[in-house]
Amino acid sequence: MKRYVYINDDEASQDLYCDNRLSNRKYTLLNFLPKNLWEQFSRFMNQYFLLIACLQLWSLITPVNPASTWGPLIFIFAVSASKEAWDDYNRYLSDKKANEKEVWIVKQGIKKHIQAQDIHVGNIVWLRENDEVPCDLVLIGTSDPQGVCYVETAALDGEIDLKTRATPATCMGIDFELLHKIKGVIECPCPDKDIRRFDANLRLFPPFIDNDVCPLTIKNTILQSCYLRNTEWACGVAVYTGNETKLGMSRGIPEPKLTAVDAMIDKLTGAIFVFQIVVVLVLGVAGNVWKDTEARKQWYVLYPNEGPWYELLVIPLRFELLCSIMIPISIKVSLDLVKSLYAKFIDWDIEMIDPETGTPSHATNTAISEDLGQVEYILTDKTGTLTENKMIFRRCCISGHFYGNEDGDALKDVGLLNAVSSGSPDVIQFLTVMAVCNTVIPTQSNTGDILYKAQSQDEEALVHAAAKLHMVFVNKNANIVEIRFNASALQYEVLEILEFTSDRKRMSVVVRDCQSGKIILLSKGADEAVLPYVHAGQQTRTFTEAVEQYSQLGLRTLCLAWRELREDEYAEWSLMFKEASSTLVDREWRIAEVCQRLEHDLEVLGVTAIEDRLQDGVPETIETLRKAGINFWMLTGDKQNTAVQIALSCNFISPEPKGQLLLIDGKTEDEVFRSLERVLLTMRITTSEPKDVAFVVDGWALEIALKHYRKTFTELAILSRTAICCRVTPSQKAQLVELLKSCDYRTLAIGDGGNDVRMIQQADIGVGISGREGLQAARAADYSIGKFRFLKRLILVHGRYSYNRTAFLSQYSFYKSLLICFIQIFFSFISGVSGTSLFNSVSLMAYNVFYTSIPVLVSVLDKDLTEGTVMHHPQILFYCQAGRLLNPSTFAGWFGRSLFHAIVVFVISIHAFAYEKSEMEEVSMVALSGCIWLQAFVVALETNSFTAVQHIAIWGNLAAFFVINWIFSAIPSSGMYTIMFRLCRQPSYWLTMLLIVGAGIGPIMALKYFRYTYRPSKINILQQAERMGGPILSLGTIEPQPRSLEKDISPLSITQPNSRSPVYEPLLSDSPKTRRSFGRGTPFDFLQSPSRLSSVYSRNCKDN
């Protein structure tokens, strides 16, 4: 589908396309209530509670006042609806501000001031310096004589460097006054969200130009939300407006991610629902049997001899209403609230603020913090994620001569400096390619210094290095590049730019030497994209050796080449290139095919080697997280040897003989299959040996493996703790994440650039680094951090605490609901199995929403271990990964506790106050008081670290219970008149409370004491060590010696499976099992990290 935009013609486009009114609102005043209710009732639990509330309106079956369910239901719905309304109102205010912004447009040759929302497709929009772009524009004029302007795209893609945009060639030279009257048509695709692509054509109508077609690319556009910088004015034609802009099309609500804890809660809810149905059926049958056999004999029951046809359903439905509170109505609101607090804790963590940039961590997704504590695989990018993305030119090889090998800095190499000063032709040509073959923009500072704006850090490093070697990129005026070499000035006319793509892996420019008139092709790119295309007479062995040598040092390599073109050859090729650039279908593929026709018979000039240093703390972070049982995969576009050396330097893999790296390669299906089989056989054998085994695969072999041998590769992925995937594309990164997720692993993907976005969005948890490549990855991620080293704290501290707290909160919510429900069930046995409620409606309504919610909400402050202990002993993360704190076994424990406590409360309350000793309302209040007292002590017993807030919440809530009930007892119409006053005056009431607490908490404390003393877990041991003090604190933080990239790293041989040594040191138990004393005569057994290769760490053994 195409769109035809008629320039400066209101009638042709106004009715066809939308105006520029932005609307990101989800609701309107008319549809808010029905739409919000529809969304809330689309959830099963809300449907269930609505059904229960509706059944309670049937007076024949309801055992309590309908308000006991309708009240909490309306409260919870109101809270959710209020949150949605507030968020939507803020979106409305943001839209209103953008829509009412004043802009200049041209109508009928006259400039007018209008609101941004009144812009239509085809209007000419005028921008001044620092103006925000109101819609997507095709540039047609600027204040620069060369038709260039500068834009800041940080709001669009997060990249902070200014980018250049240029007017199309057909608009060059049009007078300023004539821009008001310009007419033409733009043929472009329908709106899409690809901010890096715009394949269109422009035709201007006479008298400007005679219908000649001019191709348009993304470089001829200024997109919505960008800012015009360093340019006095610019004007463009609106092609996409309103929500049809590229930014508007990319907006949307991401798919919600379901955490492992949420999935487990859903399963437990389903199990409770089945249990509830069984109980209802059993009690319903028992109630009907008792009614027909016993109740009709009792004169006071007054059952009629004959009832309606639905009489048999009355008692079961009563029990359904009574037992409906088994599923806590407040659990979703409680979980949403505490998860929001978990996210705020991450935002507020001052220890996760990058000291260099001041960038804090940020949680974009507030619903998945507990999943951080269950991560099993981390898939990481390399450049900018593990490294600083600060490129430094280190070494080079020119015409077989190596420079920089002695001191690691080619810019100080005497041989290279002498070659430059003597004017060596090979060196001069090499430096010319470095200075000219790029898209760098030189600018001058206020002091006169030349500054370079580059979208690629590699290009900036090469241009800076060339400048230090006296080949200075001075200026760029339109297509003329000015170079200053020593005292002479050189000029090149840029004829064409063959841009870099991930498929071609090279970038070229066609230039004309203004001095000699010769046309030259300058190229740079990866070795596999350049060396195969050299002319027949050139030997490339030296350059191949240079690439291998530099890669072994972990340096990034580029090959530089050139060739001279004939005039007729270029003229013929230029026509094909223009035709390919003008097509609207498969333009990128057509351009790549045409570029291939020119980039051949190259003469290689040399190889550059650029260093990208590791970030601080990366080796320590990876080592710590590997001890926590987390597996690492590196997914990078770099060469294999470079990636391997970086992996060695950051503790990703171990050098020989402790580690073994297996290679998967091949160019055909058979070669890849044989390689996979060999590696898989070795992996199967090595699982019984304590050896750090990893595999490395390149993008070509990976493509074949995923397409034809997915099952085999999946088995290999499960067996390997570490993998290095080189030369991979963004889509392959996402495929690998999806592969691990299909094996039911919790994955975390971390990256810093736009090419990592798909991987980040595909993973269970996406983490973006706010780096030098911009904020695109950080904005697409669930969490953003300033440096890779903060990942350790994000997982071990925030992730683990969030999981522990959520596991307790969710199971406690079921416990308190089951407790009150079991008491209702027990009461039915002494009330003729009639479905009568022991508790009044007010008490039931307040029980879940107020009495028992506040103490547990402050569990978000609880810490079972101090942060220091958690960071020093990362192995304890295994309890979270294996789901040890929330699973059917632990839930069965809470289920049993609720049943036991219900028996205690019911038996003691009935024997103390029932059987004509008091009124039923008093028995009800005694039982309710016993529940509140028990739960206060349960929360206190399960709390590991007390703060003043927790004490106030627990004991203050207990006091508030009495205050509230004293108030209700003073109201005659409340149904509780004088009840609490009478009870509090009786010593037996207080003795009953003490007896309930003693009988209910005593056995729990005894079991805890037995477990802590005789069967302690590793966490219990660490807790005891913390309380006793001493050695845990005295261990301190062990700072490993920093590892140099070029020294202290033994080279890792890429071995085949048949070259294995039979004896290896134990590696997979990441920390040796040592014994330390933390008290007199008491041994302290440090933990060993569980491994995926160990049978202990199997998914079938995740029990308590």
Side-chain angles (χ1 to χ4, degrees):
M1 295 292 291
K2 299 179 182 178
R3 165 178 287 199
Y4 293 92
V5 177
Y6 292 90
I7 304 173
N8 214 0
D9 189 342
D10 295 337
E11 296 180 359
S13 302
Q14 184 165 353
D15 297 331
L16 294 176
Y17 311 116
C18 68
D19 60 18
N20 198 43
R21 185 186 303 273
L22 292 177
S23 179
N24 294 304
R25 297 177 62 188
K26 188 177 178 182
Y27 308 101
T28 65
L29 288 175
L30 294 178
N31 72 9
F32 173 75
L33 192 59
K35 188 174 182 179
N36 184 262
L37 288 176
W38 175 263
E39 290 176 351
Q40 296 210 48
F41 285 123
S42 63
R43 305 184 186 110
F44 169 74
M45 288 184 66
N46 289 345
Q47 295 172 6
Y48 169 76
F49 289 122
L50 178 64
L51 175 63
I52 296 300
C54 291
L55 286 175
Q56 285 191 345
L57 296 176
W58 188 3
S59 59
L60 183 64
I61 66 171
T62 180
V64 294
N65 192 308
S68 63
T69 299
W70 281 103
L73 189 65
I74 292 173
F75 174 78
I76 290 170
F77 280 8
V79 170
S80 299
S82 299
K83 180 179 179 297
E84 287 288 328
W86 177 253
D87 292 342
D88 206 53
Y89 178 68
N90 287 328
R91 287 191 289 267
Y92 162 74
L93 292 180
S94 177
D95 291 343
K96 186 173 184 289
K97 181 179 179 181
N99 289 331
E100 295 179 355
K101 187 174 294 184
E102 299 288 327
V103 296
W104 288 97
I105 71 163
V106 174
K107 278 193 175 182
Q108 300 176 349
I110 302 173
K111 289 176 66 176
K112 294 183 178 180
H113 218 190
I114 66 170
Q115 292 185 345
Q117 62 187 351
D118 297 325
I119 297 174
H120 288 86
V121 170
N123 289 160
I124 296 178
V125 180
W126 285 78
L127 302 171
R128 295 171 297 182
E129 185 175 4
N130 297 324
D131 277 355
E132 183 180 2
V133 183
C135 58
D136 290 351
L137 306 175
V138 169
L139 200 63
I140 60 172
T142 73
S143 58
D144 186 86
Q146 308 300 328
V148 175
C149 71
Y150 299 93
V151 294
E152 178 187 298
T153 62
L156 190 67
D157 56 16
E159 298 180 8
I160 56 178
D161 291 330
L162 296 183
K163 296 182 176 62
T164 57
R165 294 294 183 260
T167 57
T170 191
C171 296
M172 293 292 292
I174 296 179
D175 188 76
F176 170 79
E177 298 297 333
L178 294 178
L179 287 174
H180 292 193
K181 304 175 182 179
I182 195 169
K183 294 282 187 176
V185 61
I186 297 173
E187 182 186 12
C188 60
C190 287
D192 59 54
K193 61 183 179 181
D194 189 351
I195 64 174
R196 301 186 182 278
R197 186 171 181 173
F198 180 73
D199 299 336
N201 292 324
L202 168 66
R203 286 186 177 92
L204 293 183
F205 297 154
F208 297 96
I209 196 167
D210 191 13
N211 266 344
D212 195 14
V213 176
C214 176
L216 301 176
T217 68
I218 197 67
K219 292 193 175 182
N220 302 122
T221 65
I222 316 177
L223 301 183
Q224 183 189 41
S225 294
C226 296
Y227 285 84
L228 185 68
R229 303 293 192 199
N230 299 347
T231 307
E232 185 179 348
W233 61 264
C235 66
V237 180
V239 287
Y240 302 130
T241 52
N243 288 341
E244 292 184 345
T245 63
K246 288 185 177 291
L247 181 62
M249 297 290 288
S250 64
R251 291 191 187 104
I253 301 174
E255 288 294 323
K257 295 182 177 181
L258 183 67
T259 68
V261 169
D262 288 336
M264 179 58 66
I265 291 174
D266 289 345
K267 293 177 182 178
L268 297 176
T269 302
I272 289 297
F273 180 72
V274 172
F275 173 74
Q276 174 187 315
I277 297 300
V278 172
V279 170
V280 167
L281 291 176
V282 171
L283 292 178
V285 171
N288 281 318
V289 170
W290 189 88
K291 180 183 68 175
D292 293 333
T293 57
E294 298 293 333
R296 299 187 191 277
K297 301 177 183 179
Q298 307 298 328
W299 62 269
Y300 55 85
V301 176
L302 299 179
Y303 270 124
N305 292 327
E306 292 185 5
W309 61 269
Y310 52 79
E311 183 181 14
L312 291 176
L313 298 177
V314 171
I315 293 179
L317 288 176
R318 282 183 181 176
F319 278 111
E320 172 60 33
L321 296 180
L322 272 182
C323 295
S324 63
I325 58 174
M326 279 188 181
I327 301 175
I329 193 172
S330 61
I331 186 171
K332 183 185 182 299
V333 172
S334 299
L335 288 176
D336 288 347
L337 178 59
V338 298
K339 287 181 179 183
S340 299
L341 290 174
Y342 300 155
K344 286 300 180 183
F345 291 158
I346 294 174
D347 294 347
W348 296 334
D349 192 342
I350 60 175
E351 294 190 34
M352 293 178 63
I353 297 177
D354 184 7
E356 295 181 10
T357 62
T359 304
S361 57
H362 177 62
T364 305
N365 191 334
T366 62
I368 61 172
S369 295
E370 64 271 22
D371 250 6
L372 286 167
Q374 296 193 282
V375 170
E376 296 163 295
Y377 273 85
I378 293 179
L379 299 96
T380 176
D381 178 41
K382 182 184 75 67
T383 304
T385 304
L386 301 176
T387 61
E388 293 182 345
N389 202 18
K390 294 180 181 178
M391 308 301 178
I392 303 175
F393 185 85
R394 286 300 185 191
R395 306 185 184 203
C396 62
C397 172
I398 307 175
S399 299
H401 298 284
F402 289 81
Y403 300 104
N405 279 8
E406 294 182 3
D407 57 1
D409 190 353
L411 300 179
K412 298 179 181 179
D413 191 294
V414 177
L416 180 58
L417 296 176
N418 291 335
V420 172
S421 60
S422 62
S424 169
D426 292 337
V427 174
I428 301 304
Q429 190 66 45
F430 182 84
L431 295 178
T432 301
V433 177
M434 289 175 58
V436 176
C437 185
N438 54 67
T439 57
V440 175
I441 303 297
T443 59
Q444 281 197 344
S445 66
N446 296 331
T447 59
D449 296 331
I450 298 177
L451 304 176
Y452 297 112
K453 296 289 186 181
Q455 299 180 34
S456 166
Q457 304 297 328
D458 294 270
E459 286 190 344
E460 184 178 355
L462 292 178
V463 173
H464 272 292
K468 291 183 178 179
L469 293 172
H470 309 294
M471 186 70 70
V472 184
F473 184 8
V474 179
N475 194 16
K476 185 175 184 179
N477 288 325
N479 293 333
I480 303 300
V481 174
E482 298 180 13
I483 305 293
R484 184 176 68 243
F485 178 66
N486 291 332
S488 60
L490 308 174
Q491 287 190 338
Y492 295 90
E493 179 186 0
V494 179
L495 302 178
E496 302 289 353
I497 298 178
L498 285 60
E499 296 184 352
F500 174 88
T501 66
S502 57
D503 294 326
R504 294 176 58 242
K505 297 182 180 179
R506 63 180 175 269
M507 179 258 186
S508 303
V509 295
V510 180
V511 298
R512 184 189 299 273
D513 190 335
C514 295
Q515 285 72 32
S516 63
K518 294 180 179 180
I519 299 178
I520 306 169
L521 173 72
L522 308 178
S523 296
K524 71 173 186 293
D527 56 292
E528 70 268 25
V530 174
L531 296 182
Y533 301 101
V534 302
H535 64 79
Q538 186 175 18
Q539 297 293 324
T540 60
R541 180 178 178 181
T542 303
F543 301 115
T544 304
E545 292 176 353
V547 169
E548 291 297 322
Q549 176 183 330
Y550 296 152
S551 298
Q552 288 287 341
L553 297 173
L555 303 177
R556 299 162 60 90
T557 59
L558 286 173
C559 293
L560 275 54
W562 80 295
R563 82 177 179 98
E564 186 175 337
L565 304 178
R566 303 187 310 275
E567 285 282 353
D568 59 339
E569 179 186 10
Y570 169 70
E572 180 183 356
W573 176 87
S574 180
L575 291 175
M576 291 189 293
F577 186 73
K578 184 176 181 180
E579 180 183 355
S581 300
S582 302
T583 183
L584 296 182
V585 180
D586 296 329
R587 177 183 290 189
E588 187 174 343
W589 179 82
R590 292 280 302 278
I591 290 176
E593 184 183 29
V594 173
C595 290
Q596 188 69 45
R597 295 174 180 268
L598 197 67
E599 296 170 320
H600 61 85
D601 294 333
L602 301 173
E603 179 182 346
V604 180
L605 298 171
V607 179
T608 64
I610 297 174
E611 179 187 38
D612 187 10
R613 295 176 179 174
L614 282 180
Q615 294 181 19
D616 293 338
V618 167
E620 296 83 359
T621 299
I622 292 178
E623 182 179 7
T624 300
L625 293 178
R626 280 171 62 86
K627 288 181 179 180
I630 297 177
N631 305 324
F632 274 87
W633 282 32
M634 179 193 292
L635 315 180
T636 177
D638 270 352
K639 284 183 60 63
Q640 175 182 298
N641 286 339
T642 302
V644 168
Q645 291 305 317
I646 292 294
L648 276 169
S649 65
C650 63
N651 292 333
F652 222 81
I653 53 178
S654 303
E656 296 279 3
K658 292 183 178 182
Q660 184 178 10
L661 193 60
L662 306 176
L663 176 63
I664 301 174
D665 58 1
K667 298 297 182 182
T668 65
E669 293 182 24
D670 290 339
E671 291 176 354
V672 173
F673 178 71
R674 288 195 296 269
S675 182
L676 267 174
E677 285 293 312
R678 288 196 301 267
V679 172
L680 187 58
L681 177 61
T682 306
M683 285 287 186
R684 289 168 178 163
I685 296 173
T686 332
T687 52
S688 59
E689 301 177 2
K691 186 173 179 63
D692 193 2
V693 183
F695 70 86
V696 59
V697 60
D698 62 18
W700 186 271
L702 179 64
E703 185 73 22
I704 296 174
L706 290 176
K707 185 175 182 181
H708 300 284
Y709 308 110
R710 190 178 184 89
K711 184 177 180 181
T712 305
F713 189 80
T714 300
E715 183 181 355
L716 178 64
I718 294 174
L719 290 174
S720 176
R721 295 195 64 199
T722 307
I724 302 172
C725 304
C726 312
R727 300 296 195 193
V728 293
T729 63
S731 61
Q732 287 177 326
K733 292 182 178 182
Q735 289 180 55
L736 290 171
V737 173
E738 193 275 332
L739 177 78
L740 291 173
K741 286 177 63 178
S742 67
C743 301
D744 199 26
Y745 291 113
R746 285 283 142 181
T747 57
L748 182 149
I750 180 170
D752 74 314
N755 61 335
D756 301 316
V757 168
R758 293 182 62 181
M759 170 181 73
I760 286 172
Q761 292 178 333
Q762 182 68 36
D764 294 304
I765 304 167
V767 179
I769 291 182
S770 306
R772 292 171 62 86
E773 288 190 25
L775 302 175
Q776 199 170 356
R779 287 175 174 170
D782 302 304
Y783 301 92
S784 63
I785 55 178
K787 288 289 188 291
F788 183 85
R789 66 177 181 270
F790 299 135
L791 187 63
K792 175 170 63 174
R793 183 172 177 84
L794 185 67
I795 291 175
L796 296 182
V797 175
H798 292 286
R800 184 177 175 277
Y801 283 159
S802 298
Y803 171 78
N804 289 356
R805 293 161 179 168
T806 304
F808 168 70
L809 172 61
S810 55
Q811 293 177 114
Y812 176 84
S813 296
F814 280 104
Y815 156 79
K816 63 188 179 71
S817 297
L818 287 168
L819 170 61
I820 204 78
C821 188
F822 280 139
I823 293 175
Q824 296 273 54
I825 292 172
F826 294 152
F827 180 71
S828 67
F829 292 120
I830 63 172
S831 60
V833 200
S834 59
T836 304
S837 175
L838 173 62
F839 304 104
N840 61 49
S841 302
V842 175
S843 298
L844 286 177
M845 183 171 59
Y847 176 80
N848 264 324
V849 178
F850 302 110
Y851 294 156
T852 58
S853 294
I854 296 176
V856 74
L857 288 180
V858 297
S859 65
V860 296
L861 302 175
D862 189 37
K863 298 179 180 180
D864 60 337
L865 294 168
T866 63
E867 295 177 3
T869 301
V870 171
M871 299 287 274
H872 290 157
H873 301 282
Q875 298 93 332
I876 58 176
L877 189 69
F878 168 68
Y879 289 93
C880 302
Q881 293 170 325
R884 290 290 182 86
L885 301 183
L886 177 60
N887 55 54
S889 298
T890 58
F891 184 76
W894 282 95
F895 185 91
R897 182 185 296 191
S898 65
L899 180 61
F900 169 66
H901 283 170
I903 293 172
V904 169
V905 171
F906 182 75
V907 171
I908 294 177
S909 299
I910 292 298
H911 280 80
F913 283 86
Y915 304 116
E916 300 181 357
K917 298 177 183 177
S918 59
E919 301 175 5
M920 181 176 170
E921 287 78 6
E922 292 185 357
V923 178
S924 170
M925 184 54 66
V926 170
L928 183 64
S929 301
C931 292
I932 303 301
W933 276 74
L934 266 182
Q935 287 168 60
F937 279 91
V938 166
V939 173
L941 192 63
E942 297 296 331
T943 300
N944 297 283
S945 59
F946 279 100
T947 62
V949 175
Q950 287 165 303
H951 278 296
I952 293 172
I954 295 172
W955 311 119
N957 184 78
L958 183 60
F961 166 76
F962 287 97
V963 173
I964 292 172
N965 281 281
W966 284 335
I967 294 173
F968 275 101
S969 296
I971 302 174
S973 60
S974 65
M976 300 169 55
Y977 189 54
T978 71
I979 295 288
M980 206 63 187
F981 297 131
R982 282 181 282 160
L983 285 176
C984 290
R985 286 197 294 265
Q986 301 177 35
S988 59
Y989 170 77
W990 301 105
L991 289 175
T992 302
M993 293 301 104
L994 294 177
L995 185 59
I996 288 175
V997 170
I1001 300 299
I1004 304 298
M1005 293 186 65
L1007 286 174
K1008 278 185 171 289
Y1009 175 79
F1010 175 81
R1011 190 183 69 184
Y1012 273 65
T1013 306
Y1014 300 105
R1015 297 186 60 186
S1017 66
K1018 303 300 182 182
I1019 295 177
N1020 299 149
I1021 295 174
L1022 289 172
Q1023 288 173 334
Q1024 295 174 28
E1026 282 187 346
R1027 294 188 182 106
M1028 299 181 69
I1032 297 299
L1033 299 177
S1034 66
L1035 285 176
T1037 303
I1038 302 175
E1039 294 288 342
Q1041 293 295 323
R1043 181 179 288 183
S1044 169
L1045 196 61
E1046 299 181 12
K1047 301 177 181 179
D1048 302 328
I1049 301 180
S1050 58
L1052 184 74
S1053 59
I1054 309 296
T1055 61
Q1056 294 295 334
N1058 55 6
S1059 59
R1060 296 174 52 249
S1061 175
V1063 179
Y1064 305 101
E1065 296 181 22
L1067 287 180
L1068 294 181
S1069 55
D1070 292 316
S1071 60
K1073 189 172 184 179
T1074 59
R1075 302 181 72 87
R1076 299 177 184 263
S1077 173
F1078 66 90
R1080 180 173 297 178
T1082 310
F1084 183 82
D1085 192 5
F1086 275 76
L1087 311 177
Q1088 290 194 0
S1089 173
S1091 168
R1092 272 283 168 196
L1093 305 181
S1094 170
S1095 60
V1096 178
Y1097 197 3
S1098 67
R1099 200 163 289 278
N1100 296 327
C1101 296
K1102 287 188 175 180
D1103 52 19
N1104 195 23

